[in-house]
C-alpha cells in the first residue's frame, strides 16, 4: 500500500503543473481507457490543461465512455509540466506518445497495478494489490477530496468491469465491490457497461476467431492458438486485439495455461498469456521482455510466428511444471 507521503508527492506534482499529458498503453483495454479518462476528466475539472493520448486510439467498443473523443493518437509537439502514465508496466507499453512525453515533460508519474512494473518515472503510484489501475485513480481522487462526477464514475467502473472480467477473477475482493457500488451510486450503470464491453463484440471478431480456432492445440495443460496477419486483413479488422481469445481458451477444463500468438506487421508477434490459479505467467512474460499479472500477462517479440512459438512454448510448459 502507498504511504500518505507518496500520495502527497503525486498531489503536489499535479497541483504545481498546468499542462499535463496523460497516456496509457498501446492496444488499450477498458482499464487503460477508464483510468486515463477518469483522471483526465478530474484534472480538467480542476482547471488543468490536459492532453490525453494513446497510440492506438480508442477501440470502438469503448467509445461510449464519456469524453473518449478527446483522446488523440499522436503527440509530436509541445512541452508539458507533467506526464502521467497509467496502467502501463514499462516504457515500451506507453508507445510513441508516452516516449515523447517522457522527453518533453519536467516530471513523470507512473500510476500502475502490475507487479512487473519497471518503476520508470519520478513518482511511483504502483499498487500491485489493486485489481485495476482505476482503483488507484479512485483512491487518488479520495486523497485529494475531489468529487467524482457521473462521467468519471462511468470511466472508472468501465475499468473495474473489464479488468475483473465482470468481477469473476480471483483478485476480486470485497473492496472491489464496495468501489463498484459507490460508482453506481454516482450514476454509472453497471448493466450498460457490461453490455457495451463484456457482452458485445463485432462480427468481424467472430470471423477472425473462426479462422484462429482451427489452429488451437492442447498438449498437457498448455493450450495455444495463432492469429495470422493475413486473416486480420481478410476479415477487415483494424484494431489490434485478439478479441479475448486467450481468456476464452484458458477456460477449457484441461487447460492450465493459454497462449495466443498474434502476428503483427514489421515481423513482430504479440503474445498473450492467461493462467488458472496456481500458475504464474507474469514471470514468463517478464522473462520475454513483457509483463502483467500472475494470471494474465503478455509480451511482444521480434521475428516470425514460428520463431515466437519455438521460444515461448517451452517456457510455457516450464511454467506449468513449476506451478504444478
Amino acid at each position: 500500500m502507498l504511504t500518505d507521503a507518496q500520495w502527497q508527492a503525486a498531489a503536489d506534482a499535479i497541483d504545481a503543473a498546468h499542462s499535463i499529458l496523460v497516456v496509457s498503453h498501446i492496444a488499450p483495454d477498458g482499464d487503460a481507457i477508464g483510468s486515463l479518462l477518469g483522471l483526465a476528466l478530474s484534472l480538467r475539472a480542476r482547471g488543468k490543461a490536459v492532453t490525453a493520448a494513446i497510440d492506438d486510439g480508442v477501440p470502438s467498443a469503448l467509445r461510449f465512455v464519456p469524453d473518449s473523443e478527446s483522446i488523440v493518437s499522436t503527440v509530436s509537439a509541445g512541452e508539458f509540466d507533467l506526464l502521467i502514465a497509467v496502467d502501463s508496466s514499462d516504457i515500451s507499453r506507453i508507445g510513441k506518445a508516452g516516449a515523447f512525453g517522457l522527453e518533453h515533460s519536467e516530471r513523470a508519474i507512473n500510476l500502475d497495478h502490475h507487479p512487473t512494473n519497471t518503476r520508470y518515472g519520478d513518482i511511483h503510484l504502483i499498487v500491485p494489490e489493486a485489481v485495476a489501475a482505476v482503483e488507484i485513480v479512485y483512491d487518488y481522487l479520495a486523497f485529494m477530496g475531489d468529487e467524482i462526477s457521473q462521467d468519471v464514475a462511468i470511466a472508472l467502473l468501465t475499468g473495474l468491469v473489464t479488468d475483473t472480467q465482470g468481477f469473476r477473477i480471483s483478485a476480486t475482493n470485497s473492496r472491489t465491490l464496495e468501489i463498484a457500488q459507490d460508482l453506481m451510486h454516482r450514476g454509472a450503470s453497471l448493466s450498460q457497461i457490461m453490455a457495451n464491453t463484456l457482452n458485445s463484440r463485432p462480427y468481424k471478431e467472430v470471423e477472425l476467431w473462426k479462422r484462429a480456432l482451427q489452429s488451437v492445440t492442447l498438449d498437457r495443460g498448455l493450450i495455444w492458438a495463432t492469429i495470422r496477419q493475413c486473416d486480420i486483413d481478410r476479415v477487415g479488422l483494424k484494431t489490434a486485439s485478439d478479441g479475448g481469445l486467450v481468456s476464452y481458451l484458458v477456460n477449457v477444463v484441461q487447460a492450465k495455461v493459454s497462449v495466443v500468438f498474434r502476428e503483427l506487421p514489421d515481423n513482430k508477434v504479440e503474445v498473450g498469456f492467461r493462467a488458472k490459479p496456481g500458475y504464474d505467467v507474469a514471470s514468463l512474460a517478464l522473462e520475454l521482455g513483457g509483463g502483467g499479472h500472475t494470471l494474465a500477462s503478455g509480451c511482444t517479440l521480434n521475428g516470425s510466428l514460428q520463431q515466437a512459438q519455438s521460444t515461448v512454448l517451452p517456457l510455457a510448459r516450464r511454467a506449468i511444471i513449476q506451478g504444478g
Side-chain angles (χ1 to χ4, degrees), residues 92-103:
S92 67
R93 294 289 286 160
I94 57 177
K96 295 178 181 178
F100 181 89
L102 284 174
E103 293 180 1

Side-chain angles (χ1 to χ4, degrees), residues 198-306:
L198 303 182
N199 300 329
S200 176
R201 68 174 65 251
Y203 180 69
K204 289 180 179 180
E205 280 188 359
V206 177
E207 284 284 336
L208 184 63
W209 276 35
K210 184 167 68 175
R211 291 164 170 78
L213 286 171
Q214 298 178 51
S215 70
V216 172
T217 304
L218 174 67
D219 179 33
R220 292 167 290 175
L222 176 61
I223 189 168
W224 71 91
T226 299
I227 297 176
R228 297 185 176 276
Q229 184 63 46
C230 61
D231 289 330
I232 296 172
D233 295 338
R234 189 173 292 118
V235 302
L237 274 175
K238 296 182 180 179
T239 57
S241 171
D242 73 351
L245 181 59
V246 68
S247 298
Y248 175 78
L249 292 178
V250 80
N251 292 325
V252 171
V253 173
Q254 297 89 342
K256 299 177 176 67
V257 170
S258 66
V259 185
V260 169
F261 300 90
R262 190 174 62 82
E263 194 173 27
L264 300 175
D266 303 324
N267 199 37
K268 293 184 178 180
V269 178
E270 184 178 87
V271 188
F273 302 101
R274 295 294 185 273
K276 286 195 167 88
Y279 300 90
D280 178 11
V281 291
S283 299
L284 167 59
L286 188 63
E287 185 175 348
L288 293 167
H293 303 283
T294 301
L295 303 183
S297 62
C299 65
T300 300
L301 303 177
N302 293 317
S304 66
L305 277 171
Q306 185 176 7

